PDB file of all heavy atoms in Angstrom:
ATOM      1  N   TRP A   6      -3.444   8.750  -2.960  1.00  0.00           N
ATOM      2  CA  TRP A   6      -4.124   9.843  -3.662  1.00  0.00           C
ATOM      3  C   TRP A   6      -5.608   9.524  -3.708  1.00  0.00           C
ATOM      4  O   TRP A   6      -6.005   8.412  -4.041  1.00  0.00           O
ATOM      5  CB  TRP A   6      -3.590  10.002  -5.089  1.00  0.00           C
ATOM      6  CG  TRP A   6      -4.348  11.063  -5.830  1.00  0.00           C
ATOM      7  CD1 TRP A   6      -5.452  10.896  -6.616  1.00  0.00           C
ATOM      8  CD2 TRP A   6      -4.087  12.463  -5.814  1.00  0.00           C
ATOM      9  NE1 TRP A   6      -5.892  12.095  -7.081  1.00  0.00           N
ATOM     10  CE2 TRP A   6      -5.070  13.092  -6.604  1.00  0.00           C
ATOM     11  CE3 TRP A   6      -3.126  13.254  -5.197  1.00  0.00           C
ATOM     12  CZ2 TRP A   6      -5.108  14.463  -6.800  1.00  0.00           C
ATOM     13  CZ3 TRP A   6      -3.161  14.622  -5.395  1.00  0.00           C
ATOM     14  CH2 TRP A   6      -4.150  15.214  -6.198  1.00  0.00           C
ATOM     15  N   ASP A   7      -6.425  10.506  -3.394  1.00  0.00           N
ATOM     16  CA  ASP A   7      -7.863  10.363  -3.602  1.00  0.00           C
ATOM     17  C   ASP A   7      -8.438  11.737  -3.929  1.00  0.00           C
ATOM     18  O   ASP A   7      -7.726  12.742  -3.900  1.00  0.00           O
ATOM     19  CB  ASP A   7      -8.566   9.692  -2.421  1.00  0.00           C
ATOM     20  CG  ASP A   7      -8.429  10.457  -1.111  1.00  0.00           C
ATOM     21  OD1 ASP A   7      -8.344  11.709  -1.134  1.00  0.00           O
ATOM     22  OD2 ASP A   7      -8.410   9.810  -0.065  1.00  0.00           O
ATOM     23  N   GLN A   8      -9.705  11.784  -4.219  1.00  0.00           N
ATOM     24  CA  GLN A   8     -10.334  13.019  -4.690  1.00  0.00           C
ATOM     25  C   GLN A   8     -10.283  14.151  -3.675  1.00  0.00           C
ATOM     26  O   GLN A   8     -10.317  15.318  -4.054  1.00  0.00           O
ATOM     27  CB  GLN A   8     -11.778  12.763  -5.113  1.00  0.00           C
ATOM     28  CG  GLN A   8     -11.908  12.236  -6.533  1.00  0.00           C
ATOM     29  CD  GLN A   8     -11.177  13.093  -7.545  1.00  0.00           C
ATOM     30  OE1 GLN A   8     -10.174  12.686  -8.113  1.00  0.00           O
ATOM     31  NE2 GLN A   8     -11.654  14.308  -7.791  1.00  0.00           N
ATOM     32  N   LYS A   9     -10.179  13.830  -2.382  1.00  0.00           N
ATOM     33  CA  LYS A   9     -10.124  14.927  -1.404  1.00  0.00           C
ATOM     34  C   LYS A   9      -8.850  15.757  -1.575  1.00  0.00           C
ATOM     35  O   LYS A   9      -8.803  16.909  -1.165  1.00  0.00           O
ATOM     36  CB  LYS A   9     -10.261  14.407   0.024  1.00  0.00           C
ATOM     37  CG  LYS A   9      -9.049  13.721   0.561  1.00  0.00           C
ATOM     38  CD  LYS A   9      -9.246  13.251   1.984  1.00  0.00           C
ATOM     39  CE  LYS A   9      -7.953  12.609   2.452  1.00  0.00           C
ATOM     40  NZ  LYS A   9      -8.080  11.832   3.629  1.00  0.00           N
ATOM     41  N   LEU A  10      -7.815  15.189  -2.215  1.00  0.00           N
ATOM     42  CA  LEU A  10      -6.589  15.937  -2.484  1.00  0.00           C
ATOM     43  C   LEU A  10      -6.670  16.747  -3.781  1.00  0.00           C
ATOM     44  O   LEU A  10      -5.794  17.558  -4.054  1.00  0.00           O
ATOM     45  CB  LEU A  10      -5.383  14.999  -2.537  1.00  0.00           C
ATOM     46  CG  LEU A  10      -4.984  14.350  -1.204  1.00  0.00           C
ATOM     47  CD1 LEU A  10      -3.869  13.336  -1.415  1.00  0.00           C
ATOM     48  CD2 LEU A  10      -4.562  15.407  -0.195  1.00  0.00           C
ATOM     49  N   SER A  11      -7.703  16.529  -4.560  1.00  0.00           N
ATOM     50  CA  SER A  11      -7.850  17.247  -5.826  1.00  0.00           C
ATOM     51  C   SER A  11      -8.229  18.706  -5.583  1.00  0.00           C
ATOM     52  O   SER A  11      -9.086  19.001  -4.750  1.00  0.00           O
ATOM     53  CB  SER A  11      -8.933  16.578  -6.684  1.00  0.00           C
ATOM     54  OG  SER A  11      -9.178  17.356  -7.838  1.00  0.00           O
ATOM     55  N   VAL A  12      -7.572  19.599  -6.340  1.00  0.00           N
ATOM     56  CA  VAL A  12      -7.959  21.005  -6.297  1.00  0.00           C
ATOM     57  C   VAL A  12      -8.860  21.355  -7.481  1.00  0.00           C
ATOM     58  O   VAL A  12      -9.302  22.484  -7.605  1.00  0.00           O
ATOM     59  CB  VAL A  12      -6.728  21.955  -6.245  1.00  0.00           C
ATOM     60  CG1 VAL A  12      -5.933  21.747  -4.970  1.00  0.00           C
ATOM     61  CG2 VAL A  12      -5.861  21.821  -7.473  1.00  0.00           C
ATOM     62  N   GLY A  13      -9.109  20.377  -8.339  1.00  0.00           N
ATOM     63  CA  GLY A  13     -10.015  20.591  -9.459  1.00  0.00           C
ATOM     64  C   GLY A  13      -9.400  21.348 -10.621  1.00  0.00           C
ATOM     65  O   GLY A  13     -10.110  21.840 -11.491  1.00  0.00           O
ATOM     66  N   ILE A  14      -8.078  21.450 -10.652  1.00  0.00           N
ATOM     67  CA  ILE A  14      -7.359  22.075 -11.759  1.00  0.00           C
ATOM     68  C   ILE A  14      -6.420  20.999 -12.293  1.00  0.00           C
ATOM     69  O   ILE A  14      -5.490  20.569 -11.588  1.00  0.00           O
ATOM     70  CB  ILE A  14      -6.589  23.329 -11.302  1.00  0.00           C
ATOM     71  CG1 ILE A  14      -7.579  24.377 -10.757  1.00  0.00           C
ATOM     72  CG2 ILE A  14      -5.747  23.905 -12.436  1.00  0.00           C
ATOM     73  CD1 ILE A  14      -6.931  25.555 -10.058  1.00  0.00           C
ATOM     74  N   ALA A  15      -6.681  20.536 -13.506  1.00  0.00           N
ATOM     75  CA  ALA A  15      -6.008  19.347 -14.046  1.00  0.00           C
ATOM     76  C   ALA A  15      -4.483  19.423 -13.957  1.00  0.00           C
ATOM     77  O   ALA A  15      -3.836  18.469 -13.511  1.00  0.00           O
ATOM     78  CB  ALA A  15      -6.457  19.104 -15.486  1.00  0.00           C
ATOM     79  N   GLN A  16      -3.900  20.526 -14.371  1.00  0.00           N
ATOM     80  CA  GLN A  16      -2.437  20.669 -14.370  1.00  0.00           C
ATOM     81  C   GLN A  16      -1.876  20.521 -12.956  1.00  0.00           C
ATOM     82  O   GLN A  16      -0.887  19.822 -12.733  1.00  0.00           O
ATOM     83  CB  GLN A  16      -2.051  22.037 -14.945  1.00  0.00           C
ATOM     84  CG  GLN A  16      -0.578  22.376 -14.810  1.00  0.00           C
ATOM     85  CD  GLN A  16      -0.262  23.837 -15.160  1.00  0.00           C
ATOM     86  OE1 GLN A  16      -1.155  24.630 -15.436  1.00  0.00           O
ATOM     87  NE2 GLN A  16       1.003  24.174 -15.140  1.00  0.00           N
ATOM     88  N   ILE A  17      -2.512  21.159 -11.999  1.00  0.00           N
ATOM     89  CA  ILE A  17      -2.035  21.120 -10.611  1.00  0.00           C
ATOM     90  C   ILE A  17      -2.266  19.747 -10.007  1.00  0.00           C
ATOM     91  O   ILE A  17      -1.390  19.201  -9.323  1.00  0.00           O
ATOM     92  CB  ILE A  17      -2.700  22.229  -9.767  1.00  0.00           C
ATOM     93  CG1 ILE A  17      -2.398  23.612 -10.349  1.00  0.00           C
ATOM     94  CG2 ILE A  17      -2.282  22.129  -8.306  1.00  0.00           C
ATOM     95  CD1 ILE A  17      -0.929  23.973 -10.457  1.00  0.00           C
ATOM     96  N   ASP A  18      -3.428  19.150 -10.266  1.00  0.00           N
ATOM     97  CA  ASP A  18      -3.686  17.804  -9.750  1.00  0.00           C
ATOM     98  C   ASP A  18      -2.663  16.808 -10.289  1.00  0.00           C
ATOM     99  O   ASP A  18      -2.172  15.957  -9.548  1.00  0.00           O
ATOM    100  CB  ASP A  18      -5.102  17.339 -10.099  1.00  0.00           C
ATOM    101  CG  ASP A  18      -6.171  17.959  -9.203  1.00  0.00           C
ATOM    102  OD1 ASP A  18      -5.830  18.523  -8.139  1.00  0.00           O
ATOM    103  OD2 ASP A  18      -7.361  17.877  -9.575  1.00  0.00           O
ATOM    104  N   MET A  19      -2.323  16.920 -11.563  1.00  0.00           N
ATOM    105  CA  MET A  19      -1.324  16.019 -12.150  1.00  0.00           C
ATOM    106  C   MET A  19       0.024  16.198 -11.440  1.00  0.00           C
ATOM    107  O   MET A  19       0.704  15.222 -11.116  1.00  0.00           O
ATOM    108  CB  MET A  19      -1.172  16.298 -13.648  1.00  0.00           C
ATOM    109  CG  MET A  19      -0.163  15.412 -14.350  1.00  0.00           C
ATOM    110  SD  MET A  19       0.166  15.954 -16.050  1.00  0.00           S
ATOM    111  CE  MET A  19       1.091  17.440 -15.743  1.00  0.00           C
ATOM    112  N   GLN A  20       0.401  17.440 -11.182  1.00  0.00           N
ATOM    113  CA  GLN A  20       1.663  17.708 -10.505  1.00  0.00           C
ATOM    114  C   GLN A  20       1.634  17.213  -9.057  1.00  0.00           C
ATOM    115  O   GLN A  20       2.610  16.652  -8.566  1.00  0.00           O
ATOM    116  CB  GLN A  20       1.985  19.203 -10.555  1.00  0.00           C
ATOM    117  CG  GLN A  20       2.314  19.679 -11.948  1.00  0.00           C
ATOM    118  CD  GLN A  20       2.476  21.178 -12.043  1.00  0.00           C
ATOM    119  OE1 GLN A  20       2.349  21.907 -11.057  1.00  0.00           O
ATOM    120  NE2 GLN A  20       2.755  21.661 -13.248  1.00  0.00           N
ATOM    121  N   HIS A  21       0.513  17.411  -8.380  1.00  0.00           N
ATOM    122  CA  HIS A  21       0.388  16.909  -7.016  1.00  0.00           C
ATOM    123  C   HIS A  21       0.491  15.379  -6.989  1.00  0.00           C
ATOM    124  O   HIS A  21       1.131  14.814  -6.095  1.00  0.00           O
ATOM    125  CB  HIS A  21      -0.932  17.354  -6.388  1.00  0.00           C
ATOM    126  CG  HIS A  21      -0.959  18.794  -5.981  1.00  0.00           C
ATOM    127  ND1 HIS A  21      -2.137  19.473  -5.730  1.00  0.00           N
ATOM    128  CD2 HIS A  21       0.042  19.686  -5.758  1.00  0.00           C
ATOM    129  CE1 HIS A  21      -1.862  20.716  -5.380  1.00  0.00           C
ATOM    130  NE2 HIS A  21      -0.546  20.874  -5.396  1.00  0.00           N
ATOM    131  N   LYS A  22      -0.126  14.713  -7.959  1.00  0.00           N
ATOM    132  CA  LYS A  22      -0.038  13.243  -8.034  1.00  0.00           C
ATOM    133  C   LYS A  22       1.417  12.811  -8.211  1.00  0.00           C
ATOM    134  O   LYS A  22       1.856  11.820  -7.622  1.00  0.00           O
ATOM    135  CB  LYS A  22      -0.884  12.705  -9.188  1.00  0.00           C
ATOM    136  CG  LYS A  22      -2.362  12.735  -8.916  1.00  0.00           C
ATOM    137  CD  LYS A  22      -3.139  12.234 -10.133  1.00  0.00           C
ATOM    138  CE  LYS A  22      -4.635  12.408  -9.939  1.00  0.00           C
ATOM    139  NZ  LYS A  22      -5.409  11.988 -11.123  1.00  0.00           N
ATOM    140  N   LYS A  23       2.152  13.556  -9.028  1.00  0.00           N
ATOM    141  CA  LYS A  23       3.563  13.215  -9.234  1.00  0.00           C
ATOM    142  C   LYS A  23       4.348  13.402  -7.936  1.00  0.00           C
ATOM    143  O   LYS A  23       5.185  12.560  -7.587  1.00  0.00           O
ATOM    144  CB  LYS A  23       4.163  14.052 -10.360  1.00  0.00           C
ATOM    145  CG  LYS A  23       5.614  13.677 -10.663  1.00  0.00           C
ATOM    146  CD  LYS A  23       6.078  14.262 -11.977  1.00  0.00           C
ATOM    147  CE  LYS A  23       7.541  13.977 -12.201  1.00  0.00           C
ATOM    148  NZ  LYS A  23       7.808  12.795 -12.966  1.00  0.00           N
ATOM    149  N   LEU A  24       4.101  14.480  -7.207  1.00  0.00           N
ATOM    150  CA  LEU A  24       4.771  14.703  -5.921  1.00  0.00           C
ATOM    151  C   LEU A  24       4.427  13.594  -4.930  1.00  0.00           C
ATOM    152  O   LEU A  24       5.313  13.098  -4.220  1.00  0.00           O
ATOM    153  CB  LEU A  24       4.400  16.067  -5.352  1.00  0.00           C
ATOM    154  CG  LEU A  24       5.031  17.266  -6.050  1.00  0.00           C
ATOM    155  CD1 LEU A  24       4.355  18.571  -5.608  1.00  0.00           C
ATOM    156  CD2 LEU A  24       6.524  17.317  -5.798  1.00  0.00           C
ATOM    157  N   VAL A  25       3.167  13.196  -4.895  1.00  0.00           N
ATOM    158  CA  VAL A  25       2.750  12.079  -4.035  1.00  0.00           C
ATOM    159  C   VAL A  25       3.529  10.826  -4.420  1.00  0.00           C
ATOM    160  O   VAL A  25       4.068  10.123  -3.559  1.00  0.00           O
ATOM    161  CB  VAL A  25       1.226  11.842  -4.133  1.00  0.00           C
ATOM    162  CG1 VAL A  25       0.829  10.477  -3.575  1.00  0.00           C
ATOM    163  CG2 VAL A  25       0.462  12.956  -3.410  1.00  0.00           C
ATOM    164  N   GLY A  26       3.624  10.555  -5.714  1.00  0.00           N
ATOM    165  CA  GLY A  26       4.362   9.385  -6.189  1.00  0.00           C
ATOM    166  C   GLY A  26       5.832   9.436  -5.809  1.00  0.00           C
ATOM    167  O   GLY A  26       6.434   8.414  -5.437  1.00  0.00           O
ATOM    168  N   MET A  27       6.429  10.612  -5.875  1.00  0.00           N
ATOM    169  CA  MET A  27       7.851  10.749  -5.533  1.00  0.00           C
ATOM    170  C   MET A  27       8.092  10.522  -4.040  1.00  0.00           C
ATOM    171  O   MET A  27       9.060   9.872  -3.651  1.00  0.00           O
ATOM    172  CB  MET A  27       8.366  12.123  -5.979  1.00  0.00           C
ATOM    173  CG  MET A  27       8.347  12.289  -7.486  1.00  0.00           C
ATOM    174  SD  MET A  27       8.799  13.935  -8.021  1.00  0.00           S
ATOM    175  CE  MET A  27      10.555  13.667  -8.283  1.00  0.00           C
ATOM    176  N   ILE A  28       7.192  11.037  -3.203  1.00  0.00           N
ATOM    177  CA  ILE A  28       7.325  10.786  -1.763  1.00  0.00           C
ATOM    178  C   ILE A  28       7.108   9.301  -1.482  1.00  0.00           C
ATOM    179  O   ILE A  28       7.827   8.703  -0.680  1.00  0.00           O
ATOM    180  CB  ILE A  28       6.358  11.681  -0.953  1.00  0.00           C
ATOM    181  CG1 ILE A  28       6.803  13.142  -1.067  1.00  0.00           C
ATOM    182  CG2 ILE A  28       6.305  11.236   0.513  1.00  0.00           C
ATOM    183  CD1 ILE A  28       5.822  14.149  -0.495  1.00  0.00           C
ATOM    184  N   ASN A  29       6.158   8.691  -2.184  1.00  0.00           N
ATOM    185  CA  ASN A  29       5.948   7.249  -2.033  1.00  0.00           C
ATOM    186  C   ASN A  29       7.191   6.469  -2.453  1.00  0.00           C
ATOM    187  O   ASN A  29       7.563   5.489  -1.794  1.00  0.00           O
ATOM    188  CB  ASN A  29       4.724   6.785  -2.834  1.00  0.00           C
ATOM    189  CG  ASN A  29       3.411   7.176  -2.179  1.00  0.00           C
ATOM    190  OD1 ASN A  29       3.348   7.432  -0.977  1.00  0.00           O
ATOM    191  ND2 ASN A  29       2.362   7.222  -2.966  1.00  0.00           N
ATOM    192  N   ASP A  30       7.833   6.889  -3.535  1.00  0.00           N
ATOM    193  CA  ASP A  30       9.070   6.227  -3.996  1.00  0.00           C
ATOM    194  C   ASP A  30      10.175   6.354  -2.952  1.00  0.00           C
ATOM    195  O   ASP A  30      10.896   5.388  -2.685  1.00  0.00           O
ATOM    196  CB  ASP A  30       9.551   6.817  -5.322  1.00  0.00           C
ATOM    197  CG  ASP A  30       8.657   6.461  -6.502  1.00  0.00           C
ATOM    198  OD1 ASP A  30       7.798   5.563  -6.369  1.00  0.00           O
ATOM    199  OD2 ASP A  30       8.813   7.106  -7.560  1.00  0.00           O
ATOM    200  N   MET A  31      10.304   7.542  -2.368  1.00  0.00           N
ATOM    201  CA  MET A  31      11.323   7.743  -1.345  1.00  0.00           C
ATOM    202  C   MET A  31      11.048   6.847  -0.142  1.00  0.00           C
ATOM    203  O   MET A  31      11.949   6.195   0.383  1.00  0.00           O
ATOM    204  CB  MET A  31      11.383   9.202  -0.898  1.00  0.00           C
ATOM    205  CG  MET A  31      12.513   9.467   0.078  1.00  0.00           C
ATOM    206  SD  MET A  31      12.555  11.167   0.669  1.00  0.00           S
ATOM    207  CE  MET A  31      11.282  11.091   1.901  1.00  0.00           C
ATOM    208  N   TYR A  32       9.798   6.799   0.272  1.00  0.00           N
ATOM    209  CA  TYR A  32       9.429   5.981   1.429  1.00  0.00           C
ATOM    210  C   TYR A  32       9.690   4.496   1.140  1.00  0.00           C
ATOM    211  O   TYR A  32      10.212   3.775   1.994  1.00  0.00           O
ATOM    212  CB  TYR A  32       7.961   6.213   1.786  1.00  0.00           C
ATOM    213  CG  TYR A  32       7.545   5.461   3.020  1.00  0.00           C
ATOM    214  CD1 TYR A  32       7.865   5.941   4.282  1.00  0.00           C
ATOM    215  CD2 TYR A  32       6.841   4.267   2.931  1.00  0.00           C
ATOM    216  CE1 TYR A  32       7.496   5.255   5.428  1.00  0.00           C
ATOM    217  CE2 TYR A  32       6.470   3.571   4.072  1.00  0.00           C
ATOM    218  CZ  TYR A  32       6.802   4.073   5.313  1.00  0.00           C
ATOM    219  OH  TYR A  32       6.441   3.393   6.448  1.00  0.00           O
ATOM    220  N   GLN A  33       9.345   4.072  -0.079  1.00  0.00           N
ATOM    221  CA  GLN A  33       9.570   2.669  -0.444  1.00  0.00           C
ATOM    222  C   GLN A  33      11.068   2.348  -0.455  1.00  0.00           C
ATOM    223  O   GLN A  33      11.483   1.309   0.057  1.00  0.00           O
ATOM    224  CB  GLN A  33       8.960   2.366  -1.809  1.00  0.00           C
ATOM    225  CG  GLN A  33       9.108   0.914  -2.209  1.00  0.00           C
ATOM    226  CD  GLN A  33       8.428   0.604  -3.532  1.00  0.00           C
ATOM    227  OE1 GLN A  33       7.916   1.493  -4.212  1.00  0.00           O
ATOM    228  NE2 GLN A  33       8.409  -0.655  -3.895  1.00  0.00           N
ATOM    229  N   ALA A  34      11.877   3.223  -1.018  1.00  0.00           N
ATOM    230  CA  ALA A  34      13.326   2.999  -1.051  1.00  0.00           C
ATOM    231  C   ALA A  34      13.868   2.921   0.371  1.00  0.00           C
ATOM    232  O   ALA A  34      14.688   2.049   0.689  1.00  0.00           O
ATOM    233  CB  ALA A  34      14.021   4.112  -1.833  1.00  0.00           C
ATOM    234  N   MET A  35      13.396   3.810   1.209  1.00  0.00           N
ATOM    235  CA  MET A  35      13.833   3.819   2.595  1.00  0.00           C
ATOM    236  C   MET A  35      13.389   2.541   3.307  1.00  0.00           C
ATOM    237  O   MET A  35      14.169   1.912   4.016  1.00  0.00           O
ATOM    238  CB  MET A  35      13.243   5.036   3.300  1.00  0.00           C
ATOM    239  CG  MET A  35      13.704   5.242   4.700  1.00  0.00           C
ATOM    240  SD  MET A  35      12.774   6.580   5.448  1.00  0.00           S
ATOM    241  CE  MET A  35      11.134   5.905   5.391  1.00  0.00           C
ATOM    242  N   SER A  36      12.148   2.131   3.087  1.00  0.00           N
ATOM    243  CA  SER A  36      11.607   0.939   3.729  1.00  0.00           C
ATOM    244  C   SER A  36      12.330  -0.336   3.303  1.00  0.00           C
ATOM    245  O   SER A  36      12.393  -1.295   4.060  1.00  0.00           O
ATOM    246  CB  SER A  36      10.112   0.795   3.405  1.00  0.00           C
ATOM    247  OG  SER A  36       9.397   1.886   3.899  1.00  0.00           O
ATOM    248  N   GLN A  37      12.849  -0.312   2.086  1.00  0.00           N
ATOM    249  CA  GLN A  37      13.562  -1.478   1.561  1.00  0.00           C
ATOM    250  C   GLN A  37      15.048  -1.434   1.898  1.00  0.00           C
ATOM    251  O   GLN A  37      15.814  -2.261   1.428  1.00  0.00           O
ATOM    252  CB  GLN A  37      13.369  -1.585   0.047  1.00  0.00           C
ATOM    253  CG  GLN A  37      11.937  -1.872  -0.351  1.00  0.00           C
ATOM    254  CD  GLN A  37      11.734  -1.808  -1.850  1.00  0.00           C
ATOM    255  OE1 GLN A  37      12.582  -1.350  -2.602  1.00  0.00           O
ATOM    256  NE2 GLN A  37      10.567  -2.273  -2.293  1.00  0.00           N
ATOM    257  N   GLY A  38      15.448  -0.457   2.702  1.00  0.00           N
ATOM    258  CA  GLY A  38      16.842  -0.372   3.116  1.00  0.00           C
ATOM    259  C   GLY A  38      17.795  -0.028   1.990  1.00  0.00           C
ATOM    260  O   GLY A  38      18.969  -0.381   2.021  1.00  0.00           O
ATOM    261  N   LYS A  39      17.283   0.707   0.990  1.00  0.00           N
ATOM    262  CA  LYS A  39      18.151   1.117  -0.118  1.00  0.00           C
ATOM    263  C   LYS A  39      19.248   2.024   0.422  1.00  0.00           C
ATOM    264  O   LYS A  39      19.074   2.716   1.412  1.00  0.00           O
ATOM    265  CB  LYS A  39      17.353   1.864  -1.185  1.00  0.00           C
ATOM    266  CG  LYS A  39      16.229   1.055  -1.791  1.00  0.00           C
ATOM    267  CD  LYS A  39      16.689   0.277  -2.971  1.00  0.00           C
ATOM    268  CE  LYS A  39      15.548  -0.596  -3.455  1.00  0.00           C
ATOM    269  NZ  LYS A  39      15.446  -0.752  -4.825  1.00  0.00           N
ATOM    270  N   GLY A  40      20.348   2.038  -0.251  1.00  0.00           N
ATOM    271  CA  GLY A  40      21.481   2.844   0.183  1.00  0.00           C
ATOM    272  C   GLY A  40      21.240   4.324   0.070  1.00  0.00           C
ATOM    273  O   GLY A  40      20.269   4.774  -0.550  1.00  0.00           O
ATOM    274  N   ASN A  41      22.140   5.074   0.659  1.00  0.00           N
ATOM    275  CA  ASN A  41      22.045   6.533   0.631  1.00  0.00           C
ATOM    276  C   ASN A  41      22.063   7.085  -0.781  1.00  0.00           C
ATOM    277  O   ASN A  41      21.461   8.122  -1.045  1.00  0.00           O
ATOM    278  CB  ASN A  41      23.175   7.153   1.452  1.00  0.00           C
ATOM    279  CG  ASN A  41      22.894   7.089   2.939  1.00  0.00           C
ATOM    280  OD1 ASN A  41      21.769   6.840   3.359  1.00  0.00           O
ATOM    281  ND2 ASN A  41      23.918   7.322   3.727  1.00  0.00           N
ATOM    282  N   GLU A  42      22.737   6.404  -1.714  1.00  0.00           N
ATOM    283  CA  GLU A  42      22.763   6.893  -3.102  1.00  0.00           C
ATOM    284  C   GLU A  42      21.367   6.918  -3.688  1.00  0.00           C
ATOM    285  O   GLU A  42      20.981   7.884  -4.355  1.00  0.00           O
ATOM    286  CB  GLU A  42      23.678   6.022  -3.956  1.00  0.00           C
ATOM    287  CG  GLU A  42      25.145   6.206  -3.639  1.00  0.00           C
ATOM    288  CD  GLU A  42      26.036   5.274  -4.443  1.00  0.00           C
ATOM    289  OE1 GLU A  42      25.599   4.773  -5.494  1.00  0.00           O
ATOM    290  OE2 GLU A  42      27.181   5.075  -4.014  1.00  0.00           O
TER     291      GLU A  42
END
Side-chain angles (χ1 to χ4, degrees):
W6 176 268
D7 61 31
Q8 276 308 111
K9 74 179 182 195
L10 292 174
S11 174
V12 296
I14 299 170
Q16 172 190 4
I17 301 301
D18 282 345
M19 180 189 71
Q20 291 173 0
H21 285 163
K22 286 178 187 177
K23 183 166 175 94
L24 287 167
V25 164
M27 295 175 94
I28 292 171
N29 285 338
D30 290 347
M31 185 182 80
Y32 183 79
Q33 183 177 5
M35 185 187 62
S36 298
Q37 294 173 348
K39 300 271 175 143
N41 282 345
E42 289 177 21

